[in-house]
Amino acid sequence: MRNVFLFIRRYFTFISFVLLQVFALSMLFRYNKYHRAVFLGKANELTGYVNSQYDNVDNYFHLKEENLRIHKMNDSLLNLLPGNFVKVDTGSHVITDTVGFDTLHLVRKYLAKEAKVVSNSINSQKNYFQINRGSKQGIKDNMAVINSDGSVAGQVVGVSENFSQVMSLLNVHSTVSAMMKKSRNTGRIEWDGQSPLYLILKNIPKSDSVLRGDTVLTGINSFNYPPGWMIGTVTDIVEDRSTNFYVLRVKPSANFQNLQQVFVIENLQRDEQVELDKTTQKKVDELNKRKQ
Amino acid sequence: MNDVVRNIFRFVFFILLQVYLLDNIPPLHRFIIPVIYFLFILWLPFAISRFWLLIIGFLTGLSYDYFTVTPGLHAAACVLIAYFRPFIVNILIPKDTSEFNYSEPSAKAMGWAPYAVYVFALSLLHHGYLLLLEWLDVGNFLDFLVKVVSTTAISMLLIFTAEILFPRRLKYRTNTA
């Protein structure tokens, strides 16, 4: 017995070395076999904590490439979007009928073409947005633009081959003929350039019994806008003391911040109307000259 | 600084350096594997008892193992070099631990040539044993041999770079102290 103790004392280091080796190797081979190890659960908590602390810092160094990767991913997904495949034409055609009117004696006056807003602004005094249809698709100046939900958005003011610039209602130069839905009294919609949430309706006579929440539609006096499309609802009624008219604050029904799909509406008889207007004016002028 | 405190800091530093820096180096080649954490064991004081050297070696290897999730692999290799360290020191410089003028193995304490041999022998042992264990699991023999040579060379390079770039401030000990 004494010899055993002496042996152990003599070879203590070697024995502990062998024991530790056996322990380490058994850990290694047991882990490989059963995928578990002594203290691995607890150790994982600790290494996980240290790793996450490190990752908190390390994260920042990968943000750039991560961003790039996400950007590339977005790019590849973006290219799959149906919105990329643009119809060159809208599928709506004007067919010149030799008869001039259809069997129901109706002549088409307004023609709608769909379009997509490609850029938009609401923060300036003169807000314009751009749509992906141009002269090649038959867009001309002064066409009305209506939001996908049928509320008035603006009017085309500039046309290129494939894109058009549209003056939004939120533009201090914009004037749209309007009428009250109830009374059919006409006025005009303008914007004071202040809050993009409200438009101003002028020229509604005080004889009209305007209430809050009354609907404002596009008027019949316009060559550009088809009548009867919704502009908004009255939110504030101010009596202009110097005149016989109200100044009404109107909340537009179009959400100008996220205009996406829009319709461009063409007045097919506009040229005729404008021409008639001009010749009438000329004739009146000539009459006046003759009188003098 | 106290030896114990200094070595605790060193331990944490080497493990973190290995786990977060060297293990994250973009792969240059499959034979180029930078390993330096075992330098902690090489730098332990001369005066440490052989038993504690084994225990510390085991813990060092195990700590690193838990980060790489290979429990036992590095622990076994570290225990091996911890066991052989005193022998190699004795062969290279047959002195009693109290006769060294510096407390830790270094080029200054041992001279460049014996220190280089010391580092080389322990690196070779560490990588040889480590890669042998890996090879037993999976791998082919030629890869094993090339890897032993290449990793030992890389480790030697790293250790000597560290020695030259970051010289340890070691106190000169006299017998009276």
Side-chain angles (χ1 to χ4, degrees):
Chain A
M1 200 65 200
R2 193 168 164 269
N3 283 340
V4 172
F5 281 121
L6 272 177
F7 177 80
I8 288 174
R9 224 178 124 186
R10 177 126 191 247
Y11 294 102
F12 178 68
T13 332
F14 183 71
I15 288 166
S16 53
F17 163 68
V18 169
L19 283 177
L20 282 172
Q21 274 294 330
V22 167
F23 185 48
L25 291 181
S26 74
M27 263 176 105
L28 178 63
F29 292 124
R30 263 184 62 190
Y31 177 71
N32 283 348
K33 234 177 182 176
Y34 305 112
H35 286 271
R36 64 193 158 89
V38 192
F39 306 129
L40 193 66
K42 285 269 184 288
N44 255 349
E45 285 290 304
L46 183 70
T47 53
Y49 174 76
V50 180
N51 280 333
S52 67
Q53 292 300 311
Y54 175 79
D55 188 55
N56 276 342
V57 179
D58 187 54
N59 219 355
Y60 289 97
F61 297 102
H62 299 298
L63 280 181
K64 199 175 170 187
E65 55 187 271
E66 184 70 36
N67 235 339
L68 214 65
R69 200 162 56 213
I70 291 173
H71 200 66
K72 274 183 185 161
M73 185 69 183
N74 266 340
D75 183 48
S76 66
L77 289 177
L78 215 60
N79 283 323
L80 295 175
L81 285 179
N84 291 326
F85 304 100
V86 178
K87 276 183 254 166
V88 179
D89 212 332
T90 59
S92 313
H93 294 287
V94 183
I95 297 160
T96 315
D97 196 338
T98 46
V99 180
F101 54 86
D102 69 5
T103 49
L104 293 169
H105 301 280
L106 293 173
V107 175
R108 177 176 281 274
K109 184 170 162 67
Y110 296 105
L111 177 72
K113 297 161 192 266
E114 50 88 17
K116 172 73 183 63
V117 174
V118 290
S119 76
N120 192 8
S121 85
I122 61 158
N123 296 323
S124 121
Q125 291 267 303
K126 296 166 188 170
N127 293 303
Y128 297 92
F129 58 90
Q130 205 173 45
I131 56 172
N132 65 347
R133 297 264 183 265
S135 58
K136 272 189 176 173
Q137 289 83 43
I139 306 293
K140 294 172 206 152
D141 280 358
N142 298 313
M143 286 185 181
V145 176
I146 280 166
N147 198 6
S148 48
D149 60 0
S151 47
V152 177
Q155 163 183 349
V156 177
V157 289
V159 177
S160 69
E161 272 191 355
N162 289 300
F163 295 97
S164 304
Q165 208 73 34
V166 182
M167 182 166 75
S168 136
L169 290 191
L170 299 178
N171 187 310
V172 288
H173 295 316
S174 157
T175 306
V176 180
S177 163
M179 68 180 176
M180 300 302 297
K181 190 187 181 185
K182 258 195 316 197
S183 61
R184 302 273 152 176
N185 279 324
T186 57
R188 60 174 199 275
I189 284 282
E190 286 170 5
W191 188 50
D192 56 5
Q194 283 166 19
S195 166
L197 295 175
Y198 297 105
L199 300 165
I200 306 293
L201 176 56
K202 288 174 178 169
N203 274 16
I204 298 293
K206 279 180 185 166
S207 57
D208 195 345
S209 55
V210 179
L211 292 173
R212 259 202 240 160
D214 277 359
T215 305
V216 180
L217 305 174
T218 50
I220 50 169
N221 297 338
S222 172
F223 295 155
N224 306 332
Y225 290 92
W229 293 91
M230 185 155 171
I231 293 174
T233 51
V234 176
T235 54
D236 236 329
I237 302 158
V238 181
E239 284 187 27
D240 190 354
R241 296 205 167 199
S242 59
T243 65
N244 254 340
F245 300 103
Y246 288 115
V247 175
L248 304 169
R249 281 226 293 180
V250 175
K251 186 174 166 49
S253 54
N255 184 355
F256 289 98
Q257 250 176 330
N258 58 3
L259 293 172
Q260 295 295 322
Q261 299 289 340
V262 294
F263 296 105
V264 183
I265 296 184
E266 182 183 6
N267 179 0
L268 297 173
Q269 298 176 330
R270 186 176 192 277
D271 289 353
E272 197 182 328
Q273 284 180 296
V274 171
E275 194 61 36
L276 181 64
D277 200 41
K278 270 184 193 166
T279 49
T280 312
Q281 202 65 47
K282 233 185 249 172
K283 274 179 186 170
V284 170
D285 286 351
E286 276 172 21
L287 278 173
N288 283 345
K289 267 182 197 169
R290 232 178 265 171
K291 263 185 191 174
Q292 285 161 1
Chain B
M1 210 190 313
N2 187 353
D3 258 8
V4 176
V5 177
R6 184 173 31 192
N7 277 298
I8 286 170
F9 273 117
R10 220 178 251 173
F11 171 79
V12 173
F13 172 76
F14 273 119
I15 295 291
L16 292 184
L17 178 78
Q18 182 65 41
V19 170
Y20 292 116
L21 188 71
L22 296 180
D23 286 0
N24 285 327
I25 286 175
L28 301 166
H29 191 273
R30 75 198 169 95
F31 291 134
I32 298 177
I33 309 156
V35 181
I36 202 175
Y37 77 97
F38 64 92
L39 186 57
F40 167 71
I41 296 164
L42 270 54
W43 277 2
L44 284 171
F46 286 119
I48 201 161
S49 85
R50 293 180 64 191
F51 174 71
W52 280 110
L53 199 60
L54 287 175
I55 298 293
I56 291 167
F58 180 75
L59 290 178
T60 310
L62 198 67
S63 309
Y64 181 49
D65 275 336
Y66 279 129
F67 278 101
T68 57
V69 201
T70 53
L73 183 65
H74 294 90
C78 284
V79 168
L80 186 78
I81 60 168
Y83 181 69
F84 279 105
R85 199 190 93 139
F87 294 114
I88 289 168
V89 171
N90 266 331
I91 290 165
L92 290 170
I93 305 157
K95 271 189 201 174
D96 193 61
T97 51
S98 60
E99 292 172 43
F100 281 103
N101 287 330
Y102 294 93
S103 63
E104 294 171 3
S106 69
K108 249 186 206 169
M110 301 164 77
W112 274 103
Y115 183 65
V117 174
Y118 165 77
V119 169
F120 172 74
L122 290 179
S123 300
L124 192 66
L125 264 179
H126 176 269
H127 293 312
Y129 194 51
L130 188 78
L131 292 164
L132 177 77
L133 290 174
E134 271 187 349
W135 172 60
L136 290 177
D137 201 18
V138 274
N140 77 57
F141 186 66
L142 198 69
D143 267 20
F144 159 67
L145 287 182
V146 176
K147 265 190 178 175
V148 170
V149 173
S150 65
T151 47
T152 306
I154 300 280
S155 286
M156 292 280 287
L157 186 74
L158 283 173
I159 289 167
F160 280 102
T161 311
E163 287 283 353
I164 292 162
L165 284 182
F166 311 105
R168 284 170 286 165
R169 254 180 270 123
L170 297 172
K171 261 186 261 163
Y172 186 81
R173 268 192 333 187
T174 54
N175 285 334
T176 53

